[in-house]
Amino acid sequence: MKRRTLVLAGLGAGGLLATAWLRPGDRGQPHDAYFQALSQELKANGPMRPVMLIDLDRLDHNIEVVRQFLARSGKQLRLVEKSLPAPGLLRYLGEQLGTQRLMSFHQPFLNHDARLFPEADILLGKPLPVRSAQLFYQQHSGPFDPAKQLQWLIDTPARLQQYLALAQGLGTRLRINIELDVGLHRGGVSDTQTLGQLLQLIADHPQQLEFAGFMGYDPFVGMNLPSVLGSQDALLAKVMALYQGYVDFTRQRFPALWRAGLTLNTAGSPSYRAHEQERLSSEVAIGTGLLKPSHYDLPSLAEHVPAAFIATPVLKRTGALRIPALDEKSRLFAWWDVNQRETFFIYGGNWQADPISPAGLQLSGLYGRSSNQELINGSPAVGLAVDDQVFLRPTQSESVLLQFGDLLAVRGGRIVERWPVYQE
């Protein structure tokens, strides 16, 4: 054989090997026993539309992890309502974890909280426009006493002046919790001069304002930050040094405002575990970590397990991927990638979520997203048929949990509760 022929033959064989090596492998697998049981339960007893599932067995595991932390640290727990936006879910967690403390972020939900949880102690999780506070009082009724049970979060002297005027107009007293910037840099007090102005305003108007404590949110302590930015221990030390400085300033300059029982709130789901040893803060706030969506796959939450899943039925199964206008030319995609040889259109879609079961499903960037009938591809190995369920794992909880109507609580693969979510 001529040398040129040998070279070409070698190049041809090498090209085929390279092509075979570059082609995606088959990632498809059918539902495992866990998701297969859920699929069957939803076929038999579900609404056959998109739903949000809360797995109580998995949730109980996360509850136990938090319970053990609370026992070791001696801290109180405040449940973050925006991340767990269903009264039934909040009630279940409150009973299991022995807390009546809530953190609220939205005026309509705050009014629901005050009505549904009349014994609760509620701390606002962000400073609300004073008009929102005014609407709360206009709409509030029932035994919940805001003057004793509600803390408004304040970040600037200008906002506190607005709240002072509101208190004077209503003839009531407002409990004021001051937001501290302990490193997140999303607003809040960042110097003692501003803190002094706030505390002086409170001290000058004892009939309208009461100092209730501090909130210092530090989720970045538990995030996967580059090591060059500091270790978790180093970041926490900086946070607590700032927090301690504001506490010391208040105790020294405004001793009449300091008392036992102030709310010294800190942490969030990503960072709560870091606060086990420090003794300055009195409570931690936890919400999303109890459900552990995918954006919370963090080393700090390694002991937590995912407890929330979206389930939705397959409406159509149409074979290999076909792109509009390309028509039969689309066969190239399925030839190249075995994971595009089955096409499924699901009920709904375009959520902040990723397919998790059957394994190997993938969204199509070529076809585009849809909130009505999302296209998902897979290999024949996924074994899906029309009316089978596709499961997705949300990336976050708060707004996503509000998109499906009642949450379906499942235990042992069976639907055991239906929990309505908050409404405006």
Side-chain angles (χ1 to χ4, degrees):
M1 184 179 293
K2 293 182 179 179
R3 183 175 182 275
R4 180 184 177 194
T5 304
L6 282 169
V7 170
L8 290 174
L11 288 173
L16 288 173
L17 286 172
T19 299
W21 181 74
L22 291 171
R23 289 176 71 177
D26 189 341
R27 296 187 293 272
Q29 296 179 32
H31 286 311
D32 62 17
Y34 173 78
F35 285 110
Q36 184 60 34
L38 287 177
S39 184
Q40 293 301 319
E41 171 68 2
L42 290 167
K43 277 187 180 181
N45 299 305
M48 290 304 283
R49 58 169 173 76
V51 294
M52 179 67 75
L53 304 177
I54 306 297
D55 187 310
L56 295 181
D57 299 309
R58 289 167 171 252
L59 181 60
D60 285 350
H61 169 89
N62 295 339
I63 287 171
E64 184 58 27
V65 173
V66 172
R67 184 185 289 119
Q68 292 178 14
F69 163 82
L70 296 173
R72 293 191 302 266
S73 67
K75 297 191 186 301
Q76 298 292 325
L77 169 66
R78 191 172 295 274
L79 293 172
V80 179
E81 156 242 87
K82 72 175 174 61
S83 305
L84 309 161
L89 175 58
L90 285 169
R91 186 169 289 109
Y92 181 83
L93 290 166
E95 291 172 354
Q96 295 296 311
L97 287 163
T99 184
Q100 294 182 319
R101 302 183 185 211
L102 297 177
M103 182 175 284
S104 183
F105 291 75
H106 187 42
Q107 176 264 313
F109 293 0
L110 176 59
N111 280 96
H112 292 318
D113 291 335
R115 177 176 58 84
L116 295 167
F117 302 101
E119 302 301 319
D121 177 278
I122 303 177
L123 168 64
L124 269 294
K126 64 185 176 188
L128 294 184
V130 71
R131 173 62 176 160
S132 295
Q134 182 183 38
L135 288 172
F136 166 77
Y137 286 102
Q138 289 177 0
Q139 298 169 16
H140 174 59
S141 63
F144 179 88
D145 185 356
K148 297 179 179 178
Q149 297 171 254
L150 179 60
Q151 301 177 51
W152 297 101
L153 192 68
I154 295 297
D155 56 338
T156 64
R159 196 184 304 276
L160 185 55
Q161 287 281 4
Q162 294 176 329
Y163 274 69
L164 171 60
L166 175 65
Q168 291 169 333
L170 293 174
T172 192
R173 194 182 196 203
L174 306 182
R175 300 174 73 209
I176 302 300
N177 192 295
I178 296 175
E179 182 181 22
L180 303 177
D181 180 2
V182 292
L184 184 60
H185 307 318
R186 193 176 65 181
V189 171
S190 58
D191 59 80
T192 54
Q193 180 180 357
T194 302
L195 178 57
Q197 294 175 25
L198 290 169
L199 295 172
Q200 189 64 59
L201 197 57
I202 295 171
D204 290 343
H205 298 87
Q207 300 304 310
Q208 291 83 32
L209 304 175
E210 174 189 347
F211 177 59
F214 293 126
M215 185 185 80
Y217 182 44
D218 62 0
F220 57 90
V221 169
M223 298 293 190
N224 274 328
L225 297 179
S227 59
V228 68
L229 298 179
S231 67
Q232 177 177 283
D233 289 344
L235 291 170
L236 180 66
K238 290 173 64 176
V239 164
M240 298 316 299
L242 289 169
Y243 209 134
Q244 185 70 60
Y246 294 126
V247 167
D248 291 345
F249 175 86
T250 304
R251 298 184 71 170
Q252 293 164 11
R253 297 286 298 276
F254 296 87
L257 295 180
W258 195 266
R259 66 184 188 282
L262 289 173
T263 296
L264 301 179
N265 177 274
T266 191
S269 289
S271 59
Y272 85 91
R273 296 293 295 272
H275 287 270
E276 185 169 321
Q277 300 299 322
E278 59 88 3
R279 294 294 178 258
L280 175 62
S281 66
S282 62
E283 64 174 42
V284 295
I286 304 176
T288 305
L290 286 159
L291 299 177
K292 198 179 182 182
S294 61
H295 282 183
Y296 284 68
D297 285 341
L298 302 167
S300 60
L301 293 173
E303 290 189 56
H304 290 233
V305 296
F309 303 100
I310 298 167
T312 191
V314 173
L315 298 179
K316 304 166 186 175
R317 177 184 174 189
T318 60
L321 175 66
R322 298 182 72 197
I323 304 297
L326 286 180
D327 300 328
E328 296 308 313
K329 298 182 181 68
S330 304
R331 288 181 295 179
L332 176 64
F333 299 112
W335 169 82
W336 174 255
D337 184 0
V338 64
N339 302 289
Q340 298 188 58
R341 291 179 189 172
E342 292 284 1
T343 300
F344 308 97
F345 289 91
I346 59 174
Y347 196 145
N350 203 22
W351 302 293
Q352 289 178 280
D354 301 302
I356 189 172
S357 187
L361 293 178
Q362 60 190 35
L363 300 170
S364 175
L366 293 170
Y367 195 90
R369 306 299 302 272
S370 172
S371 300
N372 173 41
Q373 298 179 70
E374 183 104 85
L375 182 152
I376 296 183
N377 286 125
S379 80
V382 300
L384 280 176
V386 170
D387 290 345
D388 287 343
Q389 298 285 320
V390 168
F391 296 90
L392 303 95
R393 187 177 171 203
T395 60
Q396 64 178 55
S397 64
E398 42 207 61
S399 63
V400 181
L401 263 68
L402 296 172
Q403 299 176 31
F404 301 90
D406 292 358
L407 306 181
L408 300 189
V410 299
R411 189 181 292 283
R414 301 289 184 182
I415 299 169
V416 295
E417 297 277 355
R418 286 174 166 81
W419 289 330
V421 296
Y422 279 96
Q423 302 292 328
E424 292 291 331

